[in-house]
Amino acid sequence: MTLRTLESLGSLAGKRVIVRCDLNVPLKDGQITDDGRVRASLPTLNALINQGARVVIVSHLGRPDGAPDAKYSLAPVAQRLSELLGKPVTFASDTVGSAAADAVAGLHDGDVALLENLRFNPGETSKDEAERQSFADKLAAFGDALVSDGFGVVHRKQASVYELAKTLPSAAGLLIAAELEVLDRLTENPESPYTVVLGGSKVSDKLGVIGHLLPRVNTLLIGGGMLFTFLAAQGHKVGASLLEKDQIDTVTGYLAKAKQLGVEIVLPTDVVVASAFGADAEHQVCAADAIEDSPWGASGLGLDIGPDTAARFAEVIRSSHTVFWNGPMGVFELTPFAEGTRTVAQALTEVDGLGVVGGGDSAAAVRALGFNDDQFGHISTGGGASLEFLEGKRLPSLEVLGWQQ
Ligand code: ADP
Ligand code: MG
């Protein structure tokens, strides 16, 4: 079986089509700071609008606690979506209540409605299958078919992507199809040299992917918050930097395995150490094995890779033909600690081959730093999902769409 595509649903003219998007955008003071995920959902939405379907969009936003919470309302997204689609988007102030029912009932062919945050309902993410199914049944009443296009959540068993896909005639949207095509290129005979760049905040989230990728890649570059666990595994002191002590043994194991396989794991030789976590903290570049020699001793915080490391990473990236990058190299949100991420992003735009950015914060970082999406081979909308794909894990909400790895 292969992924069921939009065409498999036949003509959708006049039909009510629920589209499960991932419109989980970063918001600051009610404003969208990166609308990449909204833009990524446009091809599927436009295809359905052009067919004359009645489009009912559902999505989650953030992690509300299964109850309405104004700060996670999708209302600002409805407005942005309307601007990008160039047509009105009816916003329903609930997901399966009377507002949603009215919005859906009021749709004409080619019209669009967005229902309020799925996660305002406990059934969406419930661990209890019956509870999820009962929520999916309520959603199903609004549609004749489901187009599943929220790539960021396909590694989850949640009502709108899993149970609903089994309840209604369902297929994958164009975004999921495009994401899978790129991930396939990263796993099926990627052109070497193949380099994976990992950063971000939590090493424990990304260890699985390191283990799985080691036999497939030529070089692994380690930056971000996770680099300190690697430095600690080599016996270095890391001051007050992010450190996951309980992962040191696993990391030590990977370093040994890499050596055995002939894979180069490149660790930073210099880092930017700061007196405190803040944009105006004092900071200086230190050797990676002498972090506690900074003026702030054991309270110094490593917040970015240093310039020598960034230059070395850039060189490796530029001379690779396949690169996958997940996780910022430093705390890019604070200007003094964004340089490592900027240098790596720049190098990725110069790859002669396929350069992929994966991860919500990584995508936000490259956009915040002024890069354009089209400078990269691909910017994935799903960090967790793409990592789990690369780890070779089963993705239940793709399997319900006919997909098999
Ligand atoms: P992604 O969403 O791309 O997968 P993560 O969520 O793993 O990335 O990590 C992103 C976060 O990691 C950013 O908010 C960034 O500030 C943080 N980060 C990067 N380097 C460090 C560091 N040295 N110390 C603390 N946080 C860091
Ligand atoms: Mg993140």
Side-chain angles (χ1 to χ4, degrees):
M1 280 219 297
T2 49
L3 194 70
R4 294 194 297 278
T5 58
L6 269 185
E7 296 78 59
S8 74
L9 292 171
S11 167
L12 294 167
K15 299 253 178 76
R16 298 168 308 155
V17 180
I18 300 178
V19 188
R20 197 332 178 171
C21 294
D22 174 5
L23 303 175
N24 182 26
V25 292
L27 288 171
K28 200 174 178 191
D29 308 323
Q31 302 276 31
I32 299 172
T33 55
D34 174 12
D35 66 0
R37 282 178 166 161
V38 184
R39 283 184 281 121
S41 49
L42 296 177
T44 296
L45 297 175
N46 280 320
L48 292 168
I49 292 165
N50 292 339
Q51 278 192 54
R54 303 175 180 201
V55 179
V56 181
I57 306 170
V58 293
S59 174
H60 71 290
L61 176 71
R63 297 189 173 200
D65 227 2
D69 181 342
K71 82 172 176 283
Y72 296 115
S73 172
L74 279 166
V77 177
Q79 198 189 332
R80 184 76 190 116
L81 198 54
S82 166
E83 287 160 17
L84 290 168
L85 287 172
K87 62 186 295 155
V89 172
T90 306
F91 179 65
S93 59
D94 60 32
T95 326
V96 289
S98 58
D102 288 348
V104 175
L107 292 176
H108 297 106
D109 295 359
D111 283 353
V112 180
L114 171 64
L115 310 185
E116 186 53 289
N117 196 338
L118 288 160
R119 293 188 185 166
F120 285 0
N121 306 271
E124 170 67 359
T125 55
S126 172
K127 296 273 173 274
D128 179 55
E129 202 181 317
E131 212 180 323
R132 289 200 309 269
Q133 183 63 56
S134 131
F135 180 58
D137 288 340
K138 288 183 192 160
L139 287 168
F142 294 150
D144 304 305
L146 170 73
V147 172
S148 186
D149 215 19
F151 180 70
V153 282
V154 292
H155 55 316
R156 308 272 187 225
K157 242 188 202 180
Q158 296 179 345
S160 63
V161 276
Y162 187 73
E163 278 79 13
L164 187 59
K166 295 199 290 184
T167 306
L168 287 176
S170 60
L174 301 173
L175 175 61
I176 285 191
E179 294 272 10
L180 288 179
E181 199 181 300
V182 171
L183 288 170
D184 265 338
R185 286 172 65 193
L186 290 175
T187 42
E188 307 282 321
N189 308 314
E191 195 187 343
S192 63
Y194 182 6
T195 296
V196 169
V197 194
L198 290 177
S201 45
K202 287 195 79 184
V203 68
S204 46
D205 284 354
K206 296 176 184 179
L207 275 178
V209 74
I210 296 179
H212 194 76
L213 285 174
L214 272 182
R216 299 160 189 250
V217 304
N218 303 103
T219 312
L220 199 56
L221 309 177
I222 305 285
M226 65 160 67
L227 75 89
F228 303 100
T229 305
F230 279 82
L231 292 179
Q234 295 196 315
H236 304 309
K237 292 196 171 141
V238 299
S241 310
L242 271 191
L243 173 63
E244 288 180 69
K245 281 204 176 109
D246 55 341
Q247 303 294 338
I248 291 178
D249 285 349
T250 316
V251 164
T252 307
Y254 284 143
L255 288 169
K257 191 174 169 203
K259 203 168 232 168
Q260 205 179 49
L261 291 167
V263 174
E264 199 187 0
I265 296 189
V266 186
L267 296 180
T269 50
D270 59 349
V271 295
V272 182
V273 178
S275 60
F277 193 97
D280 39 17
E282 290 181 68
H283 53 90
Q284 68 176 43
V285 175
C286 293
D289 57 2
I291 289 176
E292 296 197 356
D293 293 347
S294 85
W296 312 289
S299 61
L301 280 169
L303 296 183
D304 194 10
I305 56 173
D308 290 352
T309 302
R312 170 122 191 261
F313 282 13
E315 203 178 294
V316 173
I317 291 167
R318 275 195 296 264
S319 55
S320 302
H321 289 310
T322 308
V323 183
F324 175 74
W325 172 32
N326 172 278
M329 295 292 98
V331 183
F332 71 92
E333 298 93 335
L334 306 176
T335 309
F337 312 109
E339 283 313 302
T341 302
R342 184 194 306 282
T343 304
V344 161
Q346 177 62 41
L348 200 67
T349 66
E350 295 163 20
V351 169
D352 175 17
L354 178 63
V356 178
V357 183
D361 290 290
S362 311
V366 300
R367 293 183 186 126
L369 293 170
F371 294 91
N372 287 323
D373 288 26
D374 59 13
Q375 290 179 273
F376 302 93
H378 180 69
I379 300 187
S380 175
T381 53
S386 44
L387 283 175
E388 292 202 9
F389 184 103
L390 294 176
E391 277 175 60
K393 285 194 182 160
R394 297 182 61 179
L395 304 177
S397 297
L398 284 182
E399 289 180 359
V400 289
L401 304 173
W403 178 81
Q404 275 179 330
Q405 195 163 30

